[in-house]
Amino acid sequence: IKSDLLSMFCHPEAPAEGSPDENAQSADSSTLRSPLEILPQNDRKPQIDVIVANLPYIPSARLMLIDPMVRDFEPKLALDGGTDGFELYRVMFSQMRNNNFYPKYLIAEIDEEQADIAKQEAKRYFPNSKIEIKKDLFKKDRILKIRF
């Protein structure tokens, strides 16, 4: 099976742009480094059926309240989602809309307290899409599903 992989990293230690992800040895890969460069910024628009995103979603003010095992060992860049925790998702949504870049589905992990803002922002950027919040295995609202 031949497939293309678009892998995205939002960490300064991420592999350089264009280097293959170590878990995708047989796939073509593009790797992005900047936290604000969510989608490719070139003329190549990959054909993607599904985007699965786990962008940083913890509100900045809550970072000091999270479990020290997470807070003290994970890079802040991997956790901090900005003022309301949804800033990087807005960046991605904006880039998708501005570049007319729509997969069949976008599935994203969100904070259990972000269901309302996730639906509101998804509807604002993608008014013709079907938007749902799904529960995780612990029955918490943690998954944003958008069907384009």
Side-chain angles (χ1 to χ4, degrees), residues 7-76:
S7 60
M8 296 177 269
F9 295 89
C10 292
H11 188 278
E13 300 299 318
E17 184 172 334
S19 65
D21 178 74
E22 63 187 27
N23 296 322
Q25 296 169 357
S26 64
D28 295 330
S29 174
S30 297
T31 304
L32 310 174
R33 292 181 65 130
S34 167
L36 297 179
E37 186 183 4
I38 307 293
L39 296 174
Q41 300 298 308
N42 56 36
D43 293 334
R44 180 180 174 255
K45 288 186 183 171
Q47 296 295 319
I48 294 177
D49 291 328
V50 180
I51 292 176
V52 179
N54 184 9
L55 299 177
Y57 56 78
I58 299 171
S60 300
R62 254 186 38 213
L63 287 176
M64 293 309 296
L65 304 175
I66 63 175
D67 184 330
M69 290 298 291
V70 174
R71 182 188 67 227
D72 296 341
F73 294 100
E74 288 289 333
K76 181 180 177 194

Side-chain angles (χ1 to χ4, degrees), residues 24-133:
Q25 296 169 357
S26 64
D28 295 330
S29 174
S30 297
T31 304
L32 310 174
R33 292 181 65 130
S34 167
L36 297 179
E37 186 183 4
I38 307 293
L39 296 174
Q41 300 298 308
N42 56 36
D43 293 334
R44 180 180 174 255
K45 288 186 183 171
Q47 296 295 319
I48 294 177
D49 291 328
V50 180
I51 292 176
V52 179
N54 184 9
L55 299 177
Y57 56 78
I58 299 171
S60 300
R62 254 186 38 213
L63 287 176
M64 293 309 296
L65 304 175
I66 63 175
D67 184 330
M69 290 298 291
V70 174
R71 182 188 67 227
D72 296 341
F73 294 100
E74 288 289 333
K76 181 180 177 194
L77 186 60
L79 302 171
D80 192 347
T83 304
D84 65 358
F86 218 73
E87 286 182 21
L88 287 175
Y89 280 106
R90 283 189 198 92
V91 170
M92 182 173 67
F93 292 173
S94 176
Q95 290 178 5
M96 290 173 68
R97 183 181 63 191
N98 293 344
N99 291 294
N100 199 29
F101 184 82
Y102 303 106
K104 292 179 183 173
Y105 293 93
L106 183 141
I107 300 168
E109 181 178 352
I110 61 172
D111 185 273
E112 63 188 276
E113 296 176 11
Q114 293 174 329
D116 290 338
I117 195 166
K119 286 191 296 189
Q120 174 185 334
E121 292 297 319
K123 189 53 93 179
R124 181 166 72 102
Y125 284 94
F126 315 117
N128 298 320
S129 298
K130 181 179 179 188
I131 298 159
E132 299 177 76
I133 300 295

